[in-house]
Amino acid sequence: MAKPFRVWACGDAHVGTDKANGRDSLAESIRGVEQGGDQGGPGFEWDIAVNVGDYSGGQGVPEDEEGEEVVRQFGALTKHPREAMYDICGNHDRSGLDEAQAWWFRKWIDPTGEHQEHSQVNSSRRPYPIEGTWERYKFQVGNIVFLMMSDINEPSQKLGRGPLGGNPGGVVSGETFDWWREQVAAHADDIVITAHHYVLKNTTVASGDWEGFRKKENGDWKSYYHGYKPQGAPRGASYLHWVASMEDSGKFEQHLEVNPGCVDLWMGGHTHTFPEDCHGGKSHLEKAWGGTTFLNVAALTKHHVSNTTVPMSRLLTFTPGSDELRVQCYLHTSDHAPQGWYEPAERVVKLSRPFAL
């Protein structure tokens, strides 16, 4: 009997933030899922990991020291090669507008293995080879195709945090959108999974306009899930806000509306919340546009936006011959509930077709 295919879906480790508070967020999470946690949580089997970004915790642009620490913490892997983790760039991983595009992410996280001397990523060891660039690439497992899109700087947005390091909201280029649309059409007979650091507007918890913030008594906005930066397009700080240099363009949303069910699953992170949080009437897992499931997998950090953060991730289990996807929630600490599986957040998702290896 064919074995299930299991994906550890995670993100938002914010390594520098937790390191400053005495916690190795990435390494502890890896040890927990491979070997079992230090508070009794069980380890579990997984075949690959998809990490939706925000390895850096800096409020400015990331620097080499934190990159070296990220690579050191990847060394906690004992049962899987580093190349079993498939990564995309988050907003905190972006470099500045006056720097080489995403140099830090490309140097230290390096999905394509172009800087092996720094990242220690050898692309020839990928269990499933990738096709594309650091900004957009795909890989396939049986009849599942993963479309991986990194977050980038919006070139027209000159002011914000850092400058622009960690600056919300989400950004992809027009070229990346066109690539995504072409890949979705080319894989009409496959299970299509999209991964980006952000979900789309009004899909999962707190992903609507202004939902990254709260209001002060005087009516002014204040930081909550996200840091309030008035020059940083704050209205769209919780979702994929810029496409082809257009704010709130609706390009992805319109494509999904016209082609319902063409994408089975969209994975994102960025917004750290409690497992039961339903701010804006939206939970961590929601279905929209006739069949696309949106899943927020954040966050591995404990200390970055600590007022709303519970360290957690997801395990996705695809069973050969079945069109049902099991989605489990794993708590990496006992701050919210006992470390390990959090059963109230478990869901079953219907896919467009059975999984086949």
Side-chain angles (χ1 to χ4, degrees), residues 203-351:
T203 53
T204 61
V205 57
S207 60
D209 282 341
W210 297 104
E211 288 183 352
F213 315 107
R214 293 291 187 270
K215 282 192 173 181
K216 301 177 184 178
E217 292 183 2
N218 66 1
D220 292 341
W221 293 107
K222 64 178 180 180
S223 299
Y224 191 67
Y225 295 118
H226 306 295
Y228 177 66
K229 303 294 177 182
Q231 296 87 13
R235 174 170 66 91
S238 295
Y239 61 90
L240 181 45
H241 185 63
W242 300 83
V243 180
S245 291
M246 290 184 284
E247 282 196 76
D248 196 14
S249 71
K251 283 180 173 289
F252 285 97
E253 294 89 340
Q254 292 161 18
H255 189 84
L256 293 173
E257 185 174 6
V258 173
N259 301 277
C262 65
V263 171
D264 287 82
L265 178 66
W266 184 298
M267 289 191 290
H270 183 61
T271 299
H272 316 168
T273 78
F274 296 94
E276 303 88 353
D277 200 340
C278 286
H279 183 66
K282 303 176 287 290
S283 69
H284 283 247
L285 190 152
E286 297 285 354
K287 187 161 281 194
W289 295 296
T292 299
T293 298
F294 290 82
L295 176 63
N296 181 335
V297 306
L300 297 180
T301 181
K302 177 178 178 177
H303 298 285
H304 196 97
V305 197
S306 59
N307 60 308
T308 69
T309 296
V310 172
M312 62 183 178
S313 59
R314 310 284 171 163
L315 178 66
L316 313 182
T317 301
F318 299 85
T319 301
S322 173
D323 63 355
E324 291 188 340
L325 166 63
R326 185 184 186 189
V327 180
Q328 295 169 273
C329 178
Y330 189 91
L331 300 181
H332 292 272
T333 67
S334 297
D335 297 293
H336 183 73
Q339 184 185 60
W341 300 115
Y342 187 65
E343 293 184 2
E346 182 171 333
R347 299 289 185 271
V348 174
V349 171
K350 199 79 167 177
L351 300 170

Side-chain angles (χ1 to χ4, degrees), residues 50-63:
V50 171
N51 190 299
V52 298
D54 269 8
Y55 282 100
S56 174
Q59 297 301 310
V61 292
E63 298 179 353

Side-chain angles (χ1 to χ4, degrees), residues 104-122:
W104 184 89
F105 174 78
R106 297 172 71 180
K107 179 178 180 179
W108 297 108
I109 314 303
D110 193 17
T112 59
E114 61 182 320
H115 296 289
Q116 184 178 348
E117 69 275 19
H118 300 291
S119 67
Q120 300 178 23
V121 173
N122 182 342

